[in-house]
Every structure is written in C-alpha cells, then in structure tokens.
C-alpha cells in the first residue's frame, strides 16, 4: 500500500510503486481532471501540483509522493462553486475542446499563488509547458489575466 495526500485527503492505494500518479488519480481515486495526452512530459494535459509546484503526473511515480501534497483541479472548486481560475476561464470562454484546460489551470494556479502580479513575459514563459491543440492560447492568456485581477493583482506589461 502506498499512502498519499490528494486535495487534503489521505489515501492508501494498492499500486505498483512505479505507477504514474496520473493513473492513480484517474483509475484509483476517480479524479479525472488531469488528462492523459502524450504520457511523455511534453504536453502538460496531466499537470497537477505537487507541494505547490506544477508537475507532469504522467511522469511522477506514485512511490515518490509519500509525505508530499498533491493537488488537482478538483481541489480548486466544483462546477457549482468554481475556483477563481475556472470562473475566469468560463468568463473568457477559454476552452474549445477543453482537454488541456485542467492542466493549464493547475499551472496558472501555481504561478498566481506565488505572484498575483507577474509580467506578461513571466506569464507566457510559465504557461509555455502546456500545449493547446485548438489554439485558444490568446483566450487562455486573457483568462489568467482576469483571474490575476480577481485575486487582487494583475498581469503587468513586460519591460521592452
Ligand atoms: Fe503528461 Fe503529456 S500527458 S505531459
């Protein structure tokens, strides 16, 4: 049995230690926010937070998570009571197919928890690891800017 904390709840799972966290979240814990895209750490669809930092859950073996804090999209809110970022993404209609969005939101959450006043350059560099094949990047950026304002900050222009 492997113990891990997800969204503040302790779980024990009967899994091979090398099982990717993504498989445990989706297959064992029923948390389907994080998505399987590439399985290679190249797309970001599976992004969750581990100790408040973005991580590709397709690459993290579940055995590496003892004593660490995992957070997923489900930990940020519900459809009825969405978190700040989810509400901003909805307001900006930032999803097309939506497959990448949970991962994008988790990566943006990590940034805004650390700094609600990033520059535009910092925002773009931070989100670069998460791909959107529909090409809604400009709407995604608008949504994160909106969320930053809602959190009491705002995205600043980068120095030229
Ligand atoms: Fe993990 Fe693509 S599924 S980075």
């Amino acid at each position: 049995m492997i113990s891990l904390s997800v969204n503040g709840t302790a779980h024990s799972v009967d899994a091979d230690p090398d099982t990717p966290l993504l498989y445990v979240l989706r297959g064992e814990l029923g948390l389907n926010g994080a998505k399987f895209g590439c399985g290679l750490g190249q797309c970001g669809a599976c992004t969750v937070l581990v100790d408040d930092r973005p991580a590709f859950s397709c690459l993290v073996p579940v055995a590496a998570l003892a004593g660490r804090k995992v957070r997923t999209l489900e930990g940020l809110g519900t459809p009825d009571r969405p978190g700040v970022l989810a509400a901003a993404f909805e307001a900006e209609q930032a999803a097309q197919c939506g497959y990448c969005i949970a991962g994008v939101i988790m990566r943006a959450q990590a940034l805004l928890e650390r700094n609600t006043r990033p520059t535009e350059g910092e925002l773009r560099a931070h989100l670069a690891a998460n791909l959107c094949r529909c090409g809604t990047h400009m709407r995604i950026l608008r949504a994160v800017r909106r969320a930053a304002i809602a959190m009491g900050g705002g995205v600043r222009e980068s120095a030229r």
Side-chain angles (χ1 to χ4, degrees):
M1 288 296 227
I2 295 172
S3 302
L4 70 164
S5 165
V6 182
N7 299 331
T9 301
H11 297 276
S12 290
V13 294
D14 187 8
D16 184 282
D18 290 334
T19 306
L21 171 62
L22 177 62
Y23 297 1
V24 170
L25 293 173
R26 295 180 59 86
E28 306 292 327
L29 304 183
L31 298 169
N32 294 318
K35 300 291 189 288
F36 183 96
C38 64
L40 297 169
Q42 294 180 352
C43 74
C46 66
T47 303
V48 299
L49 302 187
V50 176
D51 293 341
D52 304 327
R53 293 182 175 276
F56 297 133
S57 63
C58 68
L59 296 183
V60 180
V62 67
L65 294 163
R68 302 176 75 185
K69 189 176 68 171
V70 176
R71 285 190 290 156
T72 70
L73 183 73
E74 292 86 347
L76 300 186
T78 65
D80 291 340
R81 297 175 64 89
V84 175
L85 273 157
F89 273 65
E90 187 175 340
E92 295 290 349
Q93 292 289 288
Q96 188 157 312
C97 84
Y99 200 78
C100 67
I101 295 297
V104 174
I105 286 178
M106 295 313 292
R107 186 168 296 276
Q109 178 78 18
L111 174 66
L112 295 181
E113 283 182 3
R114 215 172 55 235
N115 177 12
T116 57
R117 294 187 57 77
T119 66
E120 184 69 23
E122 289 168 340
L123 169 61
R124 291 179 183 225
H126 182 79
L127 292 183
N130 287 60
L131 307 181
C132 167
R133 291 185 65 178
C134 302
T136 64
H137 299 91
M138 301 315 285
R139 283 186 272 161
I140 287 171
L141 290 169
R142 279 207 303 271
V144 180
R145 291 186 205 113
R146 176 187 280 260
I149 292 168
M151 291 177 179
V155 175
R156 298 173 289 131
E157 272 187 41
S158 299
R160 292 174 189 260

